[in-house]
Amino acid sequence: MNAKDLIQLNNKKRKQLNEHNEAYYDKMLVYIRSHLTISEQQSEELLMELLDHLLEAQSNGKTAEEVFGDDPKAYCDELIRQLPKEKRMSAAFFIGYLIFQLAGWMALVKGGIETIAEFFTDLDNTLYLGSAVTIFLIEAVIILLVVAVFISMIKRSVFAASNKVKDFFIAGLAGVIVFACFIFIPKWIPEFGYRIEAGGVVFLILGLIILVVSKWMNKKFRITT
């Protein structure tokens, strides 16, 4: 079974756990999955093995603590150290897919905003391809970095009490940074490259095409879960 099938099976079998064991196991699941550098296939096989082991123990009246101990983080860390790293090609393909998806959503949002704005005012639909690509790549990198920060926060907070004030501050700061990027980066990058006319409808169509193609790619190559 591949990783996607294992995740679906895990979701079904996890419903057999009682409330206490499910809460314990869910923390292990989130913690292991948050380590994006390890092999997804191997980590999902490990999670399925842990779940089967826990279900068997539960049928004999045991709790998750009796099976995995009172320090699940240390237990998971030991298992994670034994797992292989994700292949570089797979990681690069996954990141490329995310950027492709991001391009589709950004084009869709830009197209929607400009299409609505065109009803009320005349917009300059001139687009310089070189600067547009540069702006997109900078914004994509920043967004991916913000996502990486959130995943790191999740990883740290799974087995520890989270500081809600600190988490709120970091989330707010990340939101401000992303918003500022969309506002100021286009103003800082000089116009260069091939000049085209692209109104809101063009961006809407482009965004839809990109998202449809990315969905087809995901279905064919099973890039994400």
Side-chain angles (χ1 to χ4, degrees), residues 4 29 55 60 95 107 109 128 136 145 160 166 179 199 207 222:
K4 190 169 186 177
L29 180 145
L55 285 170
N60 294 322
I95 293 173
V109 171
Y128 293 88
F136 166 72
L145 288 174
K166 181 180 177 181
F179 181 76
R222 306 176 83 90

Side-chain angles (χ1 to χ4, degrees), residues 3 18 36 88-89 128 154 174:
N18 60 44
L36 301 182
R88 291 184 179 179
M89 184 61 69
Y128 293 88
I154 292 172

Side-chain angles (χ1 to χ4, degrees), residues 6-189:
L6 285 169
I7 289 173
Q8 292 175 350
L9 181 59
N10 191 302
N11 292 336
K12 293 178 181 179
K13 297 182 72 171
R14 216 160 62 238
K15 296 176 183 178
Q16 301 175 38
L17 293 171
N18 60 44
E19 185 176 353
H20 176 80
N21 287 342
E22 184 178 11
Y24 186 106
Y25 176 80
D26 282 351
K27 290 182 178 180
M28 297 177 68
L29 180 145
V30 171
Y31 186 71
I32 291 175
R33 285 182 179 171
S34 66
H35 287 72
L36 301 182
T37 57
I38 62 177
S39 168
E40 182 186 24
Q41 179 68 31
Q42 296 293 324
S43 63
E44 291 304 325
E45 289 177 0
L46 171 62
L47 286 168
M48 182 58 65
E49 183 179 338
L50 294 174
L51 179 56
D52 287 338
H53 189 34
L54 180 56
L55 285 170
E56 182 180 357
Q58 179 179 282
S59 66
N60 294 322
K62 293 184 178 180
T63 64
E65 286 82 0
E66 293 177 284
V67 179
F68 303 120
D70 295 323
D71 190 354
K73 182 179 183 302
Y75 185 84
C76 289
D77 285 337
E78 180 61 31
L79 294 175
I80 289 169
R81 279 192 289 268
Q82 300 174 32
L83 293 178
K85 299 293 184 181
E86 186 67 83
K87 295 179 180 179
R88 291 184 179 179
M89 184 61 69
S90 298
F93 202 49
F94 176 69
I95 293 173
Y97 170 79
L98 291 181
I99 292 175
F100 196 61
Q101 275 260 304
L102 182 60
W105 284 110
M106 288 176 68
L108 205 61
V109 171
K110 180 179 177 62
I113 293 173
E114 290 193 357
T115 300
I116 295 173
E118 285 169 357
F119 283 104
F120 302 98
T121 184
D122 292 329
L123 295 178
D124 182 6
N125 293 325
T126 304
L127 177 70
Y128 293 88
L129 196 57
S131 55
V133 171
T134 302
I135 291 168
F136 166 72
L137 290 176
I138 293 173
E139 291 176 345
V141 169
I142 292 173
I143 291 173
L144 289 175
L145 288 174
V146 169
V147 171
V149 170
F150 277 111
I151 292 174
S152 178
M153 288 172 58
I154 292 172
K155 186 189 305 181
R156 290 198 306 269
S157 64
V158 170
F159 295 116
S162 61
N163 186 325
K164 294 184 178 181
V165 175
K166 181 180 177 181
D167 291 346
F168 180 80
F169 175 77
I170 294 176
L173 180 61
V176 170
I177 290 173
V178 172
F179 181 76
C181 288
F182 282 95
I183 297 298
F184 294 108
I185 288 179
K187 299 180 183 297
W188 294 336
I189 303 298

